[in-house]
């Protein structure tokens, strides 16, 4: 699902293309991993440093170490560097595939003594090579976000993302040393949660760009007869009439300028119960009653600032905000601007 959304974003902005492909590859590997985990009882015990687990670790560590690059530069613009970066992993996988096709016997390693016994065998040496290469990629999972933040002025939450990915990858290293079905399930869950963090972070500009519903100017409130008839004949029209009633009250009576005004008082003024008011507002795009009231307070505050009637934070109480901090938070949320900056912009300098 996340990959499909990113592919859709990539149709408008190519920078999401590399992240979409990486997410898709991780998804495919998840499916193989889940199949392997659920059927492992049908094959010999995995033991320590199992090649399948190690190759999965190498591949995911590589993909996760380059994933943040998509935030600043489309992957196809740096495919040459990425290919060179992945060459050791490709060589390792190729050697294992050759061994698989040649029907070579795999060393069964279950204890530290087995590692010592088979240490000089090609199979065990390849396992340590895979573990070392995974460690190199995991170090870059921690390191790369710090470099991007320092040199490209990216948001600092990328550091938390990189650290979380690195810690989850270290968990899988422990899993390769001693396989445990519960720990494997925890790993897959944590890996999904961490990648969801970046996914929603990618969506943030789109969410911030979505407009809140606009106010509907109402000069005459609907009559009770109009509301009653529409409730029988058309559900959507009934919601619209009730919304017009709410808009008329908010625009002409301005009850929201009272800091004590809340959803219960709005319901009493409109003559509807809270469930009906909430249903009405949601039909018009509002999330809840509190958001609806706050939107009116913010709009009125902006009007007064631009008119020169409000020139300092303590006057935000004029539109119903209980504290200046609440006014600042609501203004930034619904207007996308800093309230203090707007006040400075519209405050005339002293003569």
């Amino acid at each position: 699902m996340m990959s499909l959304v990113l592919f859709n974003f990539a149709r408008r902005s190519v920078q999401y293309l590399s992240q979409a492909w990486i997410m898709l590859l991780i998804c495919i590997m998840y499916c193989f991993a889940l199949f392997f985990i659920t059927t492992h009882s049908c094959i010999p015990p995995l033991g320590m440093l199992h090649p399948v687990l190690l190759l999965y670790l190498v591949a995911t560590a590589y993909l996760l170490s380059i994933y943040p690059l998509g935030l600043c530069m489309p992957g196809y613009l740096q495919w040459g560097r990425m290919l060179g970066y992945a060459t050791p992993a490709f060589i390792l996988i190729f050697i294992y595939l050759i061994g698989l096709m040649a029907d070579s016997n795999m060393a069964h390693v279950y204890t530290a003594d087995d590692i010592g016994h088979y240490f000089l065998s090609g199979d065990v040496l390849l396992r340590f090579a895979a573990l070392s290469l995974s460690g190199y990629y995991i170090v870059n999972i921690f390191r790369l976000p710090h470099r991007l933040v320092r040199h490209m002025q990216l948001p600092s939450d990328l550091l938390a993302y990189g650290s979380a990915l690195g810690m989850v990858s270290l968990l899988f290293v422990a899993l390769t040393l001693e396989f445990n079905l519960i720990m494997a399930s925890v790993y897959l869950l944590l890996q999904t949660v961490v990648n969801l963090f970046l996914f929603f972070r990618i969506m943030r500009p789109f969410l911030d760009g979505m407009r809140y519903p606009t106010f509907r100017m109402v000069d005459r409130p609907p009559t009770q007869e109009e509301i009653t008839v529409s409730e029988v004949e058309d559900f959507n029209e009934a919601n619209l009439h009730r919304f017009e009633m709410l808009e008329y009250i908010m625009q002409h009576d301005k009850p929201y300028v009272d800091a004590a005004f809340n959803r219960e008082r709005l319901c009493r003024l409109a003559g509807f119960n809270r469930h009906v008011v909430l249903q009405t507002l949601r039909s018009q795009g509002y999330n809840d009653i509190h958001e609806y009231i706050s939107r009116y307070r913010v709009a009125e505050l902006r009007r007064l600032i631009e008119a020169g009637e409000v020139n300092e934070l303590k006057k935000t109480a004029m539109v119903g905000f209980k504290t200046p901090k609440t006014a600042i938070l609501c203004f930034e949320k619904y207007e996308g601007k800093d309230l203090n900056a707007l006040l400075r912009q519209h405050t005339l300098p002293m003569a």
Side-chain angles (χ1 to χ4, degrees):
M1 181 273 293
M2 292 188 286
S3 179
L4 290 176
V5 172
L6 291 176
F7 273 118
N8 191 42
F9 285 177
R11 296 175 61 188
R12 294 294 184 91
S13 182
V14 73
Q15 76 180 81
Y16 299 110
L17 187 59
S18 59
Q19 290 175 317
W21 277 109
I22 291 173
M23 187 72 77
L24 179 61
L25 289 173
I26 291 174
C27 176
I28 293 172
M29 293 176 64
Y30 271 17
C31 293
F32 278 113
L34 287 172
F35 173 78
F36 182 73
I37 289 172
T38 54
T39 59
H40 82 282
S41 59
C42 302
I43 60 178
L46 298 181
M48 301 175 64
L49 301 176
H50 194 283
V52 173
L53 297 178
L54 285 171
L55 293 180
Y56 175 87
L57 176 63
V58 169
T60 54
Y62 166 77
L63 290 174
L64 295 177
S65 68
I66 65 172
Y67 196 20
L69 291 175
L71 291 172
C72 56
M73 185 183 297
Y76 72 90
L77 293 180
Q78 45 192 343
W79 67 270
R81 294 178 63 185
M82 288 187 176
L83 183 60
Y85 182 50
T87 298
F90 284 137
I91 293 174
L92 196 64
I93 294 172
F94 178 75
I95 293 174
Y96 263 111
L97 289 177
I98 292 295
L100 183 65
M101 289 186 292
D103 246 354
S104 61
N105 292 323
M106 183 180 70
H108 299 290
V109 180
Y110 300 105
T111 66
D113 292 336
D114 291 336
I115 293 178
H117 180 72
Y118 294 107
F119 185 74
L120 296 180
S121 68
D123 181 26
V124 173
L125 288 176
L126 279 176
R127 296 188 197 190
F128 277 104
L131 190 62
S132 300
L133 183 59
S134 300
Y136 169 67
Y137 289 143
I138 291 172
V139 167
N140 286 334
I141 292 176
F142 285 102
R143 187 173 63 94
L144 185 57
H146 287 79
R147 295 186 62 185
L148 292 176
V149 169
R150 185 168 61 252
H151 295 292
M152 305 194 69
Q153 297 182 344
L154 293 178
S156 58
D157 59 3
L158 188 61
L159 299 178
Y161 166 73
S163 298
L165 272 186
M167 295 300 293
V168 174
S169 298
L170 288 176
L171 175 63
F172 197 82
V173 172
L175 195 61
T176 62
L177 297 177
E178 186 174 355
F179 182 81
N180 179 283
L181 186 58
I182 295 177
M183 188 185 297
S185 302
V186 171
Y187 163 77
L188 291 175
L189 176 63
L190 291 177
Q191 188 76 281
T192 303
V193 170
V194 172
N195 281 287
L196 274 173
F197 167 81
L198 186 61
F199 175 73
F200 285 114
R201 189 194 171 284
I202 292 170
M203 291 187 67
R204 184 175 176 180
F206 291 85
L207 297 176
D208 291 342
M210 293 177 65
R211 294 182 176 273
Y212 284 98
T214 56
F215 298 127
R216 182 186 181 92
M217 304 309 296
V218 178
D219 296 323
R220 180 188 68 84
T223 64
Q224 185 59 47
E225 182 181 359
E226 288 175 329
I227 295 175
T228 302
V229 171
S230 64
E231 287 175 339
V232 176
E233 297 181 351
D234 191 328
F235 176 80
N236 292 323
E237 186 179 353
N239 278 327
L240 181 58
H241 282 323
R242 287 192 291 259
F243 183 67
E244 289 174 344
M245 175 65 77
L246 296 174
E247 292 282 74
Y248 183 84
I249 292 171
M250 297 292 280
Q251 293 166 14
H252 292 268
D253 298 339
K254 295 186 177 181
Y256 53 84
V257 299
D258 181 358
F261 182 71
N262 54 25
R263 61 187 183 184
E264 284 74 22
R265 286 179 59 180
L266 178 61
C267 294
R268 286 199 300 270
L269 288 174
F272 310 130
N273 63 48
R274 189 172 68 181
H275 172 75
V276 170
V277 171
L278 184 60
Q279 169 192 296
T280 299
L281 291 177
R282 286 183 170 172
S283 73
Q284 304 302 314
Y286 291 92
N287 186 54
D288 54 39
I289 302 173
H290 177 73
E291 176 187 273
Y292 180 64
I293 295 173
S294 296
R295 286 279 320 282
Y296 263 99
R297 284 173 173 158
V298 167
E300 180 68 5
L301 177 59
R302 178 161 188 164
R303 186 187 71 80
L304 293 178
I305 291 174
E306 293 174 347
E309 298 180 40
V310 171
N311 53 18
E312 54 185 338
L313 280 177
K314 66 180 181 181
K315 290 187 178 181
T316 55
M318 292 172 58
V319 296
F321 287 114
K322 292 182 179 180
T323 65
K325 182 178 179 180
T326 303
I328 291 172
L329 293 175
C330 288
F331 199 89
E332 183 177 358
K333 179 179 180 180
Y334 299 123
E335 291 288 333
K337 296 182 179 180
D338 181 67
L339 178 56
N340 286 301
L342 188 67
L343 285 169
R344 288 193 298 270
Q345 179 184 343
H346 288 87
T347 299
L348 296 176
M350 297 296 293

